[in-house]
Amino acid sequence: MSPAKIEELFELLRAACARQFRFNPRRVTAGMRYVGKEGHGKDMVHVFRDASTHSQIALDSTFATLREKHGEKPHWTEAEKAHYQNTDAEIDAEIAAKQAELEFVQNSALYQDHKAELLTHYKDWPGYVPGVTNPREAARLLITALAEAKDARFVAFAEHLGSNDPEHLAHLLLSPCHLEIEAAKAAAAP
């Protein structure tokens, strides 16, 4: 399907979701991805899926339906609906908080000390080392080792971010790596 047709469907989706569920159109644009058509004939719907929770919305002409359950997993919890109903100010505050978190991680001693090691696990990085673990696994192993050693920088890092979850902390520790890779690609481009 052409990008123009998908954008038309997004226009219909944003309007339907705002009218029916009070969803913020910005959140719909940022969170939903077009999956494709489903059904046959008059029962044909367009399906959209949230990028992180995989909750789905079926769009039939100008009417949207939240798929409360898809397979065995329940979807569209009250918290998720409330997230989509955030005001522009709440969305802006969330973006600012994520940016502040990213800047904290990027400038933290923990990230600076382990940046070179973490980047070697990315295939897009010039210093990539093949045959080792993937970036997420490497970061998780590092987080686990630092936690077990009660590393002071790690303790301060985890405390500032308000988390002890190795998976979440690994994700946060890797987030600036993507910026480093993009900067390296931009510098290498003629």
Side-chain angles (χ1 to χ4, degrees):
M1 185 175 297
S2 75
K5 179 63 178 164
I6 291 173
E7 183 51 39
E8 284 178 35
L9 291 172
F10 263 102
E11 285 292 326
L12 292 171
L13 180 70
R14 285 188 289 266
C17 287
R19 182 181 68 249
Q20 293 174 236
F21 315 117
R22 297 185 347 268
F23 283 1
N24 187 315
R26 279 178 65 191
R27 184 69 78 195
V28 172
T29 300
M32 301 306 290
R33 303 290 177 266
Y34 180 68
V35 175
K37 296 178 189 175
E38 206 173 86
H40 301 286
K42 289 190 280 185
D43 296 329
M44 180 79 67
V45 295
H46 293 279
V47 179
F48 296 81
R49 181 178 62 221
D50 180 90
S52 55
T53 66
H54 304 295
S55 293
Q56 294 184 352
I57 300 175
L59 180 67
D60 183 1
S61 184
T62 60
F63 185 78
T65 304
L66 300 181
R67 291 187 169 169
E68 302 284 340
K69 188 171 176 107
H70 187 67
E72 293 299 311
K73 290 180 71 178
H75 285 289
W76 292 108
T77 62
E78 291 307 312
E80 188 174 5
K81 290 177 192 175
H83 179 72
Y84 268 87
Q85 292 170 346
N86 283 353
T87 64
D88 283 345
E90 290 169 324
I91 292 171
D92 290 341
E94 183 181 312
I95 291 168
K98 284 190 184 300
Q99 185 60 37
E101 183 178 74
L102 176 62
E103 287 173 12
F104 168 78
V105 173
Q106 195 170 19
N107 295 316
S108 71
L110 189 70
Y111 175 71
Q112 292 299 322
D113 289 351
H114 298 282
K115 172 172 69 171
E117 174 192 342
L118 291 170
L119 285 167
T120 64
H121 297 275
Y122 283 94
K123 290 180 181 165
D124 292 346
W125 184 250
Y128 172 65
V129 178
V132 295
T133 59
N134 66 45
R136 180 164 305 283
E137 185 62 27
R140 192 176 28 243
L141 290 171
L142 174 64
I143 292 291
T144 303
L146 292 171
E148 288 172 0
K150 296 188 182 354
D151 180 87
R153 288 168 304 171
F154 169 74
V155 171
F157 181 82
E159 194 173 283
H160 181 86
L161 295 169
S163 176
N164 285 320
D165 177 28
E167 196 69 37
H168 182 236
L169 291 171
H171 171 75
L172 293 174
L173 193 59
L174 291 175
S175 54
C177 290
H178 302 283
L179 298 176
E180 300 280 348
I181 291 167
E182 291 304 315
K185 283 182 183 175

